[in-house]
Amino acid sequence: KTFRPRKKFEPGTQRFELYKKAQASLKSGLDLKAVVQLPPGESINDWIAVHVVDFFNRINLIYGTMSEYCTEKSCPIMSGGLKYEYRWQDDNKYKKPTKLSAPKYMCMLMDWIEMLINNEDIFPTRIGVPFPKQFQQVCTKILTRLFRVFVHVYIHHFDSIINMGAEAHVNTCYKHFYYFIREFSLIDHRELEPL
């Protein structure tokens, strides 16, 4: 239920080319701080869109690999330790911030993000179609909530990640995510306190 089909970029599109550049940079062993910088002459919204979709795919995979350890019983509250609790609100079914178990929160989160990134009015894929004015606000909300997945995984399930031998992958993904959100000031610094 937590696994989703990967969102792909159409070959031949500008976003596909940006995605290939980002992937090539990551695989070349470059400094992650440099990798996240906007390539000269590229649109910041395209660059953010490519990364939001890529982070969604990667973080969904990370959570999916350890989701069997994150159960209603083990994680009855979506939290980041004793100090941080995350409540779900989507202005649809959950109009007020609502306490959910971590698995339920994750499921709601992945469904919500998938719905947004597949919405052509928010993440347009056709050339010449502009991004909406609130695009970066939407991305900030998506990235803030994806950050909470890292918080939960690191604080509550990192032993499972180590047992699977996946800590290097998770750490690299987190560093890439962290440098990206800092480069473009996409998450309020108070949200970053748990890690």
Side-chain angles (χ1 to χ4, degrees), residues 2 6 24 26 28 83 92 96 124 136 158-159 164 167 187-188 192:
T2 57
R6 292 173 58 95
L26 280 172
S28 70
K83 196 172 174 185
N92 193 9
K96 293 181 180 173
Q136 287 190 21
F158 202 66
D159 55 340
M164 287 185 265
E167 69 271 19
I187 295 182
D188 186 294
L192 301 176

Side-chain angles (χ1 to χ4, degrees), residues 62 65-69 157 159-167:
I62 288 169
T65 60
M66 48 73 48
S67 62
E68 68 184 275
Y69 306 105
H157 302 291
D159 55 340
S160 299
I161 296 294
I162 290 171
N163 290 339
M164 287 185 265
E167 69 271 19

Side-chain angles (χ1 to χ4, degrees), residues 161-175:
I161 296 294
I162 290 171
N163 290 339
M164 287 185 265
E167 69 271 19
H169 174 71
V170 173
N171 287 338
T172 301
C173 185
Y174 175 69
K175 281 196 321 196

Side-chain angles (χ1 to χ4, degrees), residues 25-45:
S25 296
L26 280 172
K27 290 175 184 160
S28 70
L30 287 176
D31 175 18
L32 287 173
K33 286 182 185 178
V35 167
V36 299
Q37 294 172 358
L38 180 67
E42 297 296 348
S43 153
I44 188 162
N45 284 341

Side-chain angles (χ1 to χ4, degrees), residues 12-158:
T13 64
Q14 182 181 10
R15 291 221 194 105
F16 181 73
E17 295 306 315
L18 279 176
Y19 174 74
K20 285 193 333 190
K21 274 186 197 176
Q23 293 305 304
S25 296
L26 280 172
K27 290 175 184 160
S28 70
L30 287 176
D31 175 18
L32 287 173
K33 286 182 185 178
V35 167
V36 299
Q37 294 172 358
L38 180 67
E42 297 296 348
S43 153
I44 188 162
N45 284 341
D46 279 324
W47 190 240
I48 290 172
V50 164
H51 280 81
V52 166
V53 171
D54 190 44
F55 288 133
F56 166 69
N57 288 333
R58 290 172 188 262
I59 294 167
N60 191 33
L61 183 63
I62 288 169
Y63 182 72
T65 60
M66 48 73 48
S67 62
E68 68 184 275
Y69 306 105
C70 185
T71 65
E72 298 284 330
K73 188 174 181 178
S74 68
C75 302
I77 297 170
M78 175 57 180
S79 64
L82 298 175
K83 196 172 174 185
Y84 300 95
E85 179 181 312
Y86 301 118
R87 295 181 178 201
W88 183 256
Q89 182 178 7
D90 58 17
D91 299 325
N92 193 9
K93 183 178 176 185
Y94 297 92
K95 296 188 186 306
K96 293 181 180 173
T98 305
K99 192 182 285 196
L100 297 176
S101 67
K104 178 82 171 161
Y105 185 100
M106 298 296 186
C107 187
M108 298 295 291
L109 174 62
M110 298 309 170
D111 286 345
W112 176 76
I113 295 172
E114 188 173 34
M115 182 260 315
L116 289 172
I117 63 177
N118 288 323
N119 183 335
E120 285 286 327
D121 293 333
I122 299 170
F123 279 77
T125 57
R126 293 182 311 281
I127 294 173
V129 176
F131 286 91
K133 288 182 182 151
Q134 78 278 18
F135 176 71
Q136 287 190 21
Q137 282 178 287
V138 171
C139 289
T140 290
K141 196 167 193 174
I142 290 170
L143 292 168
T144 298
R145 289 179 173 183
L146 283 173
F147 178 78
R148 294 170 180 179
V149 177
F150 279 119
V151 172
H152 185 76
V153 166
Y154 272 112
I155 292 174
H156 296 282
H157 302 291
F158 202 66

